[in-house]
Short mmCIF file of all heavy atoms in Angstrom, two decimals:
data_model
loop_
_atom_site.label_atom_id
_atom_site.label_comp_id
_atom_site.label_asym_id
_atom_site.label_seq_id
_atom_site.Cartn_x
_atom_site.Cartn_y
_atom_site.Cartn_z
N ALA A 1 0.84 -1.21 0.00
CA ALA A 1 0.02 0.00 0.03
C ALA A 1 0.87 1.25 -0.01
O ALA A 1 0.60 2.21 -0.70
CB ALA A 1 -0.94 -0.05 1.22
N ARG A 2 1.92 1.20 0.80
CA ARG A 2 2.84 2.34 0.87
C ARG A 2 3.70 2.55 -0.39
O ARG A 2 3.98 3.64 -0.81
CB ARG A 2 3.64 2.31 2.15
CG ARG A 2 2.90 2.49 3.35
CD ARG A 2 3.46 1.96 4.66
NE ARG A 2 2.67 2.36 5.82
CZ ARG A 2 1.56 1.68 6.23
NH1 ARG A 2 1.19 0.59 5.52
NH2 ARG A 2 0.83 2.05 7.31
N VAL A 3 4.08 1.38 -0.95
CA VAL A 3 4.76 1.35 -2.24
C VAL A 3 3.98 2.06 -3.35
O VAL A 3 4.46 2.88 -4.17
CB VAL A 3 5.26 0.01 -2.63
CG1 VAL A 3 5.76 -0.04 -4.09
CG2 VAL A 3 6.32 -0.50 -1.75
N GLU A 4 2.67 1.73 -3.38
CA GLU A 4 1.78 2.22 -4.36
C GLU A 4 1.74 3.83 -4.18
O GLU A 4 1.68 4.51 -5.31
CB GLU A 4 0.36 1.75 -4.14
CG GLU A 4 -0.70 2.26 -5.14
CD GLU A 4 -2.06 1.76 -4.96
OE1 GLU A 4 -2.29 1.08 -3.93
OE2 GLU A 4 -2.96 2.22 -5.71
N VAL A 5 1.73 4.37 -2.94
CA VAL A 5 1.76 5.79 -2.80
C VAL A 5 3.08 6.39 -3.27
O VAL A 5 3.06 7.42 -4.00
CB VAL A 5 1.50 6.16 -1.38
CG1 VAL A 5 1.68 7.62 -1.07
CG2 VAL A 5 0.06 5.72 -0.84
N ILE A 6 4.18 5.73 -2.96
CA ILE A 6 5.44 6.30 -3.38
C ILE A 6 5.57 6.31 -4.86
O ILE A 6 6.11 7.30 -5.48
CB ILE A 6 6.53 5.48 -2.65
CG1 ILE A 6 6.52 5.66 -1.13
CG2 ILE A 6 7.97 5.98 -3.24
CD1 ILE A 6 7.54 4.76 -0.44
N LYS A 7 5.13 5.32 -5.58
CA LYS A 7 5.34 5.18 -7.00
C LYS A 7 4.38 6.14 -7.74
O LYS A 7 4.64 6.42 -8.91
CB LYS A 7 5.05 3.76 -7.41
CG LYS A 7 6.14 2.82 -7.12
CD LYS A 7 5.91 1.45 -7.73
CE LYS A 7 7.00 0.46 -7.62
NZ LYS A 7 6.77 -0.84 -8.22
N ASN A 8 3.26 6.51 -7.15
CA ASN A 8 2.23 7.21 -7.80
C ASN A 8 2.70 8.67 -8.22
O ASN A 8 3.08 9.41 -7.37
CB ASN A 8 0.93 7.38 -6.98
CG ASN A 8 -0.24 7.81 -7.77
OD1 ASN A 8 -0.27 8.97 -8.23
ND2 ASN A 8 -1.24 7.00 -8.00
N MET A 9 2.59 8.95 -9.55
CA MET A 9 2.99 10.29 -9.99
C MET A 9 1.79 11.04 -10.69
O MET A 9 1.99 11.88 -11.59
CB MET A 9 4.13 10.12 -11.00
CG MET A 9 5.45 9.69 -10.34
SD MET A 9 6.16 10.94 -9.27
CE MET A 9 6.62 12.19 -10.42
N ASP A 10 0.59 10.80 -10.17
CA ASP A 10 -0.60 11.44 -10.65
C ASP A 10 -1.02 12.49 -9.61
O ASP A 10 -0.50 12.48 -8.53
CB ASP A 10 -1.77 10.46 -10.88
CG ASP A 10 -1.49 9.49 -11.91
OD1 ASP A 10 -0.87 9.94 -12.92
OD2 ASP A 10 -1.83 8.34 -11.81
N SER A 11 -1.89 13.37 -10.04
CA SER A 11 -2.52 14.40 -9.07
C SER A 11 -3.59 13.64 -8.34
O SER A 11 -4.65 13.48 -8.70
CB SER A 11 -3.09 15.56 -9.82
OG SER A 11 -2.01 16.49 -10.18
N VAL A 12 -3.20 13.19 -7.10
CA VAL A 12 -4.06 12.42 -6.21
C VAL A 12 -3.82 12.71 -4.77
O VAL A 12 -2.64 13.10 -4.46
CB VAL A 12 -3.95 10.90 -6.56
CG1 VAL A 12 -2.51 10.43 -6.16
CG2 VAL A 12 -4.97 10.07 -5.88
N ASP A 13 -4.74 12.62 -3.96
CA ASP A 13 -4.57 12.87 -2.50
C ASP A 13 -4.33 11.49 -1.78
O ASP A 13 -4.78 10.48 -2.24
CB ASP A 13 -5.74 13.58 -1.90
CG ASP A 13 -5.79 15.07 -2.32
OD1 ASP A 13 -4.70 15.63 -2.66
OD2 ASP A 13 -6.90 15.61 -2.32
N ILE A 14 -3.68 11.57 -0.60
CA ILE A 14 -3.46 10.42 0.23
C ILE A 14 -4.07 10.66 1.58
O ILE A 14 -3.60 11.56 2.34
CB ILE A 14 -1.88 10.15 0.35
CG1 ILE A 14 -1.29 9.72 -0.99
CG2 ILE A 14 -1.69 9.03 1.40
CD1 ILE A 14 -1.01 10.81 -1.95
N GLN A 15 -5.12 9.89 1.84
CA GLN A 15 -5.80 9.95 3.13
C GLN A 15 -5.05 8.91 3.98
O GLN A 15 -5.21 7.79 3.82
CB GLN A 15 -7.32 9.61 3.04
CG GLN A 15 -8.00 9.20 4.33
CD GLN A 15 -8.08 10.23 5.33
OE1 GLN A 15 -8.04 11.42 5.06
NE2 GLN A 15 -8.13 9.87 6.59
N ALA A 16 -4.41 9.41 5.06
CA ALA A 16 -3.50 8.54 5.86
C ALA A 16 -3.89 8.67 7.34
O ALA A 16 -3.87 9.77 7.90
CB ALA A 16 -2.01 8.92 5.66
N PHE A 17 -4.28 7.64 8.01
CA PHE A 17 -4.63 7.58 9.36
C PHE A 17 -3.43 7.76 10.30
O PHE A 17 -2.31 7.53 9.90
CB PHE A 17 -5.42 6.25 9.67
CG PHE A 17 -6.85 6.29 9.08
CD1 PHE A 17 -7.03 5.66 7.84
CD2 PHE A 17 -7.88 6.90 9.67
CE1 PHE A 17 -8.27 5.66 7.25
CE2 PHE A 17 -9.10 6.89 9.13
CZ PHE A 17 -9.32 6.27 7.88
N PRO A 18 -3.72 8.07 11.59
CA PRO A 18 -2.57 8.35 12.49
C PRO A 18 -1.68 7.07 12.54
O PRO A 18 -2.21 5.94 12.64
CB PRO A 18 -3.29 8.58 13.80
CG PRO A 18 -4.71 9.06 13.45
CD PRO A 18 -5.05 8.36 12.16
N GLY A 19 -0.42 7.33 12.59
CA GLY A 19 0.54 6.28 12.70
C GLY A 19 0.72 5.43 11.38
O GLY A 19 1.30 4.29 11.45
N SER A 20 0.33 6.02 10.30
CA SER A 20 0.46 5.24 9.06
C SER A 20 1.81 5.60 8.43
O SER A 20 2.20 5.04 7.37
CB SER A 20 -0.68 5.65 8.02
OG SER A 20 -0.72 7.00 7.80
N GLY A 21 2.58 6.59 8.94
CA GLY A 21 3.90 6.92 8.44
C GLY A 21 3.84 7.83 7.14
O GLY A 21 4.73 7.66 6.39
N LYS A 22 2.87 8.73 7.13
CA LYS A 22 2.69 9.45 5.81
C LYS A 22 3.85 10.40 5.54
O LYS A 22 4.34 10.55 4.40
CB LYS A 22 1.37 10.18 5.89
CG LYS A 22 1.28 11.29 6.86
CD LYS A 22 0.05 12.16 6.78
CE LYS A 22 -0.09 13.13 7.83
NZ LYS A 22 1.08 14.08 7.84
N THR A 23 4.38 10.99 6.62
CA THR A 23 5.46 11.93 6.37
C THR A 23 6.76 11.18 6.04
O THR A 23 7.56 11.65 5.19
CB THR A 23 5.80 12.77 7.74
OG1 THR A 23 4.61 13.54 8.00
CG2 THR A 23 6.89 13.80 7.45
N THR A 24 6.95 9.99 6.60
CA THR A 24 8.13 9.08 6.28
C THR A 24 7.99 8.69 4.77
O THR A 24 8.87 8.63 4.00
CB THR A 24 8.11 7.86 7.15
OG1 THR A 24 8.26 8.29 8.52
CG2 THR A 24 9.30 6.94 6.79
N ILE A 25 6.76 8.37 4.36
CA ILE A 25 6.46 7.98 2.94
C ILE A 25 6.76 9.16 2.06
O ILE A 25 7.50 8.96 0.93
CB ILE A 25 5.01 7.52 2.79
CG1 ILE A 25 4.83 6.22 3.51
CG2 ILE A 25 4.69 7.38 1.33
CD1 ILE A 25 3.31 5.91 3.64
#
């Protein structure tokens, strides 16, 4: 799931719950 976010190069938002590591991603 996190790899999918990192690879994505489209204009899209990421809804990330607490402790999901969004800033690290």
Side-chain angles (χ1 to χ4, degrees):
R2 289 162 176 80
V3 167
E4 181 185 359
V5 171
I6 295 174
K7 286 185 174 183
N8 192 293
M9 290 295 290
D10 295 322
S11 282
V12 66
D13 289 334
I14 291 83
Q15 162 64 26
F17 287 96
S20 59
K22 66 175 177 57
T23 302
T24 301
I25 292 168

